[in-house]
Amino acid sequence: MVPHLVTALTGPLHDLEKKVLEATPAIERWFRLEWQEHTPPFYCSVDLRNAGYKLAPVDTNLFPGGFNNLATEMLPLSVQAAMAAIDKYCPDARNLLLIPESHTRNPFYLQNIARLMQIFRQTGLHVRLGSLSPDITEPTPLALPDGNMLVIEPLVRSANGRRLGLKDFDPCTILLNNDLSAGIPSILENIHEQSLLPPVHAGWAVRRKSNHFAAYDEVAKKFGKLIDVDPWMVNPFHAKCGEINFQEDTGSECLADNVTMLLAKIKKKYKEYGIKDQKPFVIVKPDAGTYGMGIMTVRDASEVRDLSRKQRNKMSVIKDGVAVTDVIIQEGVPTYESINDAVAEPVVYMIDRYVVGGFYRVHAERGIDQNLNAPGSQYVPLAFAQQHAVPDLKAKPGTAAPNRFYVYGVVARLGLLAASLELERTDPNPEVY
């Protein structure tokens, strides 16, 4: 399935697709050499936006929670990638402890956990679930929509305090599927004998989107040079503002100045590429955090100077009641893809350095310039089952699914590489990395 792309089959994106396909050997070699220097995150998902004139990542998630939305045909690939990932950290691993989000009653999220357990069991691991929630004091069954059950158990530190596990279960590897928005719990601190993946500094208690996109700027520049394209074709402009307090309405001048500056930069690019049917906009969102909370679309600096009380309340707090003090202002990349007339954006999933599938996030009530990660969104598995069908170099640009998905996979891996640089640079214990 190649979803409907509103833009015509001409223009910069098709030039990008052509250049990527022609440079495939150089691109794959470049990635291979980069992975000799850098360790990819254990797993990762990247939200892409295809505007017809550019294809860019707008978010990179290091605790992906939608493995249940991948096509089942992709499972063998996920298992192979998971084997490669586990081999790096604990080649003789027997037990894996999986720590999910604490709000584990969401049936879709639980299906994601069940899918992860299925993948890791197939790699030859015993997988059990441990909870960070103080409410879980004994093994607790959780019902899945398909009638199956998961059991979640309280975490236990070993007698010497050096290891983390469950009662009668000592794992070699601990996999977090909890983004630590509420902070790093003490039970996860000072674990030196086991591999904790991703590391705690990948959680939102420490991580900042602006660090990620600063690393992505470098990756996009290298990639642009490699295949001879303007890095802007795969990179959204961004800026950041610290010391913001939406409740007290402080920091709005910093925000307005950055909005003005970014809109001017985008306008200049639109002029350069003759983009006339799109008005520049930016997205303002928290520099830390997820779940599509605290996000607004802005077309003029006056909009952030004169926020209503309701808007300020919406922007001031994110998941787990965490207050917003820093924001990232990001170039808005409209999505011109649609499925059954509903706007769609591709989300690509990776384990280790391998693309293992993806889906379209589709939202019938949202516009091309809005955040689609919101209540009411639906998920359509990407036809990545044909992803390794060799790209067709003779196909007209934009018409062949393997070509489109290969290009998605390339840009998503640029985000993955940026995440590995980001984690290296923000690691509080670099010698342990």
Side-chain angles (χ1 to χ4, degrees), residues 30-31 57 212 216 219-220 223 234 409-419:
W30 176 69
F31 273 126
H212 174 76
Y216 188 83
V219 170
F223 180 73
V234 293
V410 167
V411 177
R413 282 181 290 160
L414 297 178
L416 182 73
L417 180 54

Side-chain angles (χ1 to χ4, degrees), residues 10-213:
T10 55
L13 189 69
H14 298 102
D15 184 42
L16 177 68
E17 183 179 300
K18 194 162 168 276
K19 283 194 165 161
V20 167
L21 292 172
E22 284 169 357
T24 296
I27 291 169
E28 294 304 333
R29 178 175 182 272
W30 176 69
F31 273 126
R32 211 167 58 240
L33 296 176
E34 289 290 336
W35 295 131
Q36 287 172 19
E37 300 290 321
H38 307 287
T39 305
F42 187 81
Y43 53 9
C44 172
S45 69
V46 175
D47 296 5
L48 300 173
R49 301 285 287 224
N50 185 346
Y53 55 84
K54 74 187 290 177
L55 173 67
V58 292
D59 215 359
T60 299
N61 186 356
L62 298 179
F63 300 88
F67 279 91
N68 53 309
N69 295 318
L70 304 187
T72 47
E73 301 93 312
M74 302 309 292
L75 270 176
L77 194 55
S78 299
V79 171
Q80 280 182 314
M83 279 181 177
I86 290 286
D87 276 353
K88 274 186 192 167
Y89 297 97
C90 196
D92 57 351
R94 179 175 295 147
N95 295 334
L96 175 79
L97 173 63
L98 179 53
I99 300 179
E101 289 284 352
S102 300
H103 64 265
T104 43
R105 304 294 168 182
N106 178 326
F108 299 111
Y109 179 72
L110 292 178
Q111 285 173 307
N112 157 69
I113 292 298
R115 173 62 65 85
L116 278 170
M117 292 178 79
Q118 182 187 11
I119 289 167
F120 286 103
R121 280 199 186 111
Q122 284 299 115
T123 70
L125 292 167
H126 295 288
V127 188
R128 281 165 67 177
L129 298 178
S131 176
L132 290 170
S133 170
D135 303 337
I136 302 289
T137 54
E138 58 184 1
T140 304
L142 299 168
L144 290 168
D146 62 6
N148 286 321
M149 282 282 183
L150 296 176
V151 175
I152 192 157
E153 303 173 64
L155 294 169
V156 180
R157 275 306 266 262
S158 62
N160 66 7
R162 296 178 66 83
R163 295 179 74 83
L164 179 66
L166 307 172
K167 191 182 172 193
D168 308 322
F169 188 74
D170 182 28
C172 165
T173 310
I174 301 159
L175 181 61
L176 285 175
N177 198 248
N178 181 313
D179 64 22
L180 307 180
S181 287
I184 300 169
S186 55
I187 199 162
L188 292 183
E189 290 177 340
N190 302 313
I191 294 173
H192 301 307
E193 293 183 2
Q194 294 155 297
S195 296
L196 183 59
L197 303 166
V200 288
H201 71 280
W204 287 123
V206 179
R207 188 178 179 222
R208 294 293 176 268
K209 293 175 188 175
S210 50
N211 288 335
H212 174 76
F213 280 100

Side-chain angles (χ1 to χ4, degrees), residues 329-341:
I329 305 105
Q330 195 176 49
E331 174 187 347
V333 182
T335 178
Y336 278 109
E337 299 197 71
S338 62
I339 292 175
N340 300 332
D341 296 329

Side-chain angles (χ1 to χ4, degrees), residues 246-263:
F246 284 104
Q247 290 290 17
E248 293 173 16
D249 201 14
T250 56
S252 56
E253 275 314 307
C254 165
L255 194 49
D257 290 348
N258 277 290
V259 167
T260 302
M261 178 267 294
L262 275 187
L263 287 171

